[in-house]
Amino acid sequence: AINTLTETGGIIIRTPLPVAVVDRLCRNPRVTYVPELPNENNLAPPLLVIGGTYEHGMAVQQIFHNMSKVLIGQAVVVSAVEAAFIEGGICSLSVLQRTFFNQLHDAISEYGGDYDVVSTYTSLDGRVGMGHTLVPNLDYSRGEKSQAYINGFDRLRTFGGTNPDSRPITLLH
Protein backbone atom coordinates (compact mmCIF):
# COMPACT_ATOMS: atom_id res chain seq x y z
CA ALA A 1 0.00 0.00 0.00
CA ILE A 2 2.86 2.40 0.74
CA ASN A 3 4.06 1.89 -2.84
CA THR A 4 0.78 3.46 -3.97
CA LEU A 5 1.80 6.73 -2.32
CA THR A 6 5.36 6.70 -3.62
CA GLU A 7 4.42 5.65 -7.16
CA THR A 8 1.79 8.39 -7.51
CA GLY A 9 3.82 11.07 -5.75
CA GLY A 10 1.29 11.17 -2.94
CA ILE A 11 1.17 14.18 -0.66
CA ILE A 12 0.01 13.95 2.97
CA ILE A 13 -1.21 17.13 4.68
CA ARG A 14 -1.23 16.95 8.48
CA THR A 15 -2.10 20.42 9.72
CA PRO A 16 -5.44 22.06 10.57
CA LEU A 17 -6.91 23.84 7.55
CA PRO A 18 -10.28 25.46 6.81
CA VAL A 19 -12.73 23.20 4.98
CA ALA A 20 -12.64 25.39 1.85
CA VAL A 21 -8.84 25.04 1.63
CA VAL A 22 -8.99 21.27 2.16
CA ASP A 23 -11.66 21.02 -0.54
CA ARG A 24 -9.51 22.95 -3.01
CA LEU A 25 -6.24 21.12 -2.25
CA CYS A 26 -7.72 17.63 -2.15
CA ARG A 27 -9.38 17.85 -5.54
CA ASN A 28 -6.01 16.55 -6.63
CA PRO A 29 -6.31 12.77 -6.01
CA ARG A 30 -2.63 12.62 -4.96
CA VAL A 31 -3.38 14.71 -1.85
CA THR A 32 -4.49 13.02 1.38
CA TYR A 33 -5.65 15.07 4.39
CA VAL A 34 -4.92 13.60 7.83
CA PRO A 35 -6.04 16.14 10.45
CA GLU A 36 -4.39 16.12 13.84
CA LEU A 37 -7.17 15.65 16.36
CA PRO A 38 -6.85 16.99 19.92
CA ASN A 39 -6.18 14.55 22.71
CA GLU A 40 -6.24 14.77 26.48
CA ASN A 41 -2.99 14.74 28.43
CA ASN A 42 -0.98 13.57 25.41
CA LEU A 43 -2.79 10.25 25.28
CA ALA A 44 -3.01 8.46 21.95
CA PRO A 45 -5.95 9.70 19.90
CA PRO A 46 -8.70 7.09 19.73
CA LEU A 47 -9.34 7.85 16.06
CA LEU A 48 -7.15 8.43 13.01
CA VAL A 49 -9.18 10.23 10.35
CA ILE A 50 -7.81 9.97 6.82
CA GLY A 51 -9.35 12.08 4.06
CA GLY A 52 -8.68 11.03 0.50
CA THR A 53 -8.82 8.05 -1.83
CA TYR A 54 -9.22 4.59 -0.37
CA GLU A 55 -5.83 3.46 -1.73
CA HIS A 56 -3.95 6.39 -0.23
CA GLY A 57 -5.93 6.04 2.99
CA MET A 58 -4.81 2.44 3.38
CA ALA A 59 -1.21 3.47 2.72
CA VAL A 60 -1.37 6.24 5.33
CA GLN A 61 -2.91 3.83 7.83
CA GLN A 62 -0.08 1.37 7.19
CA ILE A 63 2.50 4.14 7.71
CA PHE A 64 0.95 5.07 11.06
CA HIS A 65 0.71 1.48 12.25
CA ASN A 66 4.23 0.52 11.13
CA MET A 67 6.23 3.65 11.80
CA SER A 68 4.49 5.71 14.47
CA LYS A 69 5.23 5.45 18.18
CA VAL A 70 1.63 6.45 18.85
CA LEU A 71 -0.87 3.60 19.04
CA ILE A 72 -4.00 4.39 17.04
CA GLY A 73 -7.27 2.93 18.27
CA GLN A 74 -9.27 3.08 15.05
CA ALA A 75 -8.64 4.46 11.57
CA VAL A 76 -11.28 5.57 9.08
CA VAL A 77 -10.96 6.67 5.47
CA VAL A 78 -13.45 9.33 4.40
CA SER A 79 -13.43 12.14 1.86
CA ALA A 80 -11.05 15.01 2.56
CA VAL A 81 -13.94 17.42 3.15
CA GLU A 82 -15.55 14.99 5.59
CA ALA A 83 -12.19 14.68 7.41
CA ALA A 84 -12.00 18.49 7.70
CA PHE A 85 -15.53 18.65 9.14
CA ILE A 86 -14.77 15.80 11.58
CA GLU A 87 -11.69 17.71 12.75
CA GLY A 88 -13.64 20.95 13.02
CA GLY A 89 -16.43 19.29 14.98
CA ILE A 90 -14.12 17.56 17.46
CA CYS A 91 -11.92 20.64 17.98
CA SER A 92 -14.91 22.96 18.37
CA LEU A 93 -16.64 20.66 20.85
CA SER A 94 -13.41 20.35 22.85
CA VAL A 95 -13.10 24.12 23.08
CA LEU A 96 -16.74 24.52 24.11
CA GLN A 97 -16.37 21.86 26.81
CA ARG A 98 -13.20 23.44 28.19
CA THR A 99 -14.83 26.89 28.21
CA PHE A 100 -17.95 25.54 29.92
CA PHE A 101 -16.01 23.81 32.71
CA ASN A 102 -13.87 26.92 33.29
CA GLN A 103 -17.08 28.92 33.76
CA LEU A 104 -18.65 26.19 35.92
CA HIS A 105 -15.51 26.24 38.10
CA ASP A 106 -15.91 29.99 38.62
CA ALA A 107 -19.61 29.71 39.47
CA ILE A 108 -19.05 26.89 41.98
CA SER A 109 -16.18 28.82 43.61
CA GLU A 110 -18.30 31.97 43.82
CA TYR A 111 -20.94 30.08 45.84
CA GLY A 112 -18.36 28.40 48.08
CA GLY A 113 -18.70 24.95 46.55
CA ASP A 114 -15.93 22.43 45.93
CA TYR A 115 -15.31 22.08 42.20
CA ASP A 116 -13.43 18.81 42.68
CA VAL A 117 -16.51 17.21 44.26
CA VAL A 118 -18.82 18.48 41.52
CA SER A 119 -16.48 17.53 38.65
CA THR A 120 -15.79 14.07 40.10
CA TYR A 121 -19.45 13.15 40.26
CA THR A 122 -20.33 14.94 37.02
CA SER A 123 -17.65 12.98 35.18
CA LEU A 124 -19.17 9.66 36.34
CA ASP A 125 -21.94 10.25 33.81
CA GLY A 126 -20.75 8.52 30.64
CA ARG A 127 -22.05 11.39 28.50
CA VAL A 128 -19.63 13.78 30.22
CA GLY A 129 -16.54 11.79 31.17
CA MET A 130 -13.41 13.21 32.77
CA GLY A 131 -11.87 14.70 29.63
CA HIS A 132 -12.35 18.44 29.97
CA THR A 133 -13.37 18.74 33.61
CA LEU A 134 -9.83 19.49 34.88
CA VAL A 135 -9.92 23.16 35.92
CA PRO A 136 -7.55 24.73 36.48
CA ASN A 137 -5.01 22.75 34.52
CA LEU A 138 -2.23 20.91 36.30
CA ASP A 139 -0.03 24.02 35.99
CA TYR A 140 -2.86 26.18 37.47
CA SER A 141 -3.50 27.90 34.12
CA ARG A 142 -6.98 28.39 32.70
CA GLY A 143 -8.28 26.64 29.59
CA GLU A 144 -6.06 24.68 27.24
CA LYS A 145 -2.86 26.02 25.73
CA SER A 146 -2.08 23.29 23.22
CA GLN A 147 -1.96 24.21 19.55
CA ALA A 148 -4.77 21.72 18.82
CA TYR A 149 -7.12 23.64 21.12
CA ILE A 150 -6.00 27.02 19.81
CA ASN A 151 -6.72 25.74 16.30
CA GLY A 152 -10.02 24.35 17.57
CA PHE A 153 -11.02 27.76 18.89
CA ASP A 154 -10.16 29.33 15.54
CA ARG A 155 -12.19 26.61 13.80
CA LEU A 156 -15.13 27.24 16.13
CA ARG A 157 -15.08 30.95 15.34
CA THR A 158 -15.24 30.37 11.58
CA PHE A 159 -16.74 26.88 11.40
CA GLY A 160 -16.92 25.61 7.85
CA GLY A 161 -14.87 28.40 6.35
CA THR A 162 -16.78 28.38 3.06
CA ASN A 163 -17.95 31.97 3.23
CA PRO A 164 -15.12 34.46 3.80
CA ASP A 165 -17.70 37.13 4.60
CA SER A 166 -19.36 35.06 7.34
CA ARG A 167 -19.25 36.64 10.78
CA PRO A 168 -17.18 34.75 13.35
CA ILE A 169 -18.76 33.40 16.51
CA THR A 170 -17.79 35.32 19.64
CA LEU A 171 -17.58 33.46 22.95
CA LEU A 172 -18.58 35.34 26.09
CA HIS A 173 -15.99 35.48 28.86
Side-chain angles (χ1 to χ4, degrees):
I2 295 175
N3 290 337
T4 302
L5 277 177
T6 56
E7 290 169 1
T8 62
I11 300 167
I12 300 171
I13 298 175
R14 186 147 171 82
T15 188
L17 295 171
V19 174
V21 173
V22 171
D23 181 42
R24 189 176 75 244
L25 291 174
C26 292
R27 288 182 186 165
N28 180 336
R30 294 180 10 201
V31 178
T32 303
Y33 182 57
V34 185
E36 187 172 356
L37 301 177
N39 58 20
E40 282 294 315
N41 302 324
N42 295 321
L43 298 174
L47 180 64
L48 174 65
V49 177
I50 304 167
T53 66
Y54 179 78
E55 293 79 19
H56 285 191
M58 291 295 103
V60 169
Q61 183 176 346
Q62 186 178 359
I63 289 169
F64 271 86
H65 284 293
N66 293 345
M67 300 177 189
S68 176
K69 293 181 180 179
V70 176
L71 296 174
I72 304 298
Q74 180 181 2
V76 295
V77 179
V78 296
S79 76
V81 168
E82 291 165 340
F85 274 109
I86 291 168
E87 175 201 13
I90 291 171
C91 289
S92 297
L93 180 60
S94 296
V95 168
L96 287 172
Q97 287 174 322
R98 182 66 72 176
T99 301
F100 170 78
F101 281 105
N102 272 287
Q103 292 175 346
L104 182 63
H105 177 274
D106 293 346
I108 292 167
S109 297
E110 183 178 325
Y111 284 95
D114 185 339
Y115 179 78
D116 290 335
V117 170
V118 174
S119 67
T120 297
Y121 292 110
T122 301
S123 67
L124 291 178
D125 186 314
R127 297 169 294 176
V128 178
M130 190 64 178
H132 300 283
T133 62
L134 299 176
V135 179
N137 293 326
L138 296 176
D139 65 356
Y140 300 104
S141 65
R142 304 280 299 178
E144 178 60 59
K145 294 188 235 179
S146 74
Q147 190 61 45
Y149 284 98
I150 293 167
N151 292 337
F153 182 73
D154 290 341
R155 296 294 292 269
L156 174 64
R157 294 184 64 231
T158 57
F159 193 76
T162 56
N163 181 0
D165 298 324
S166 63
R167 297 182 59 165
I169 298 169
T170 302
L171 295 178
L172 301 176
H173 297 279

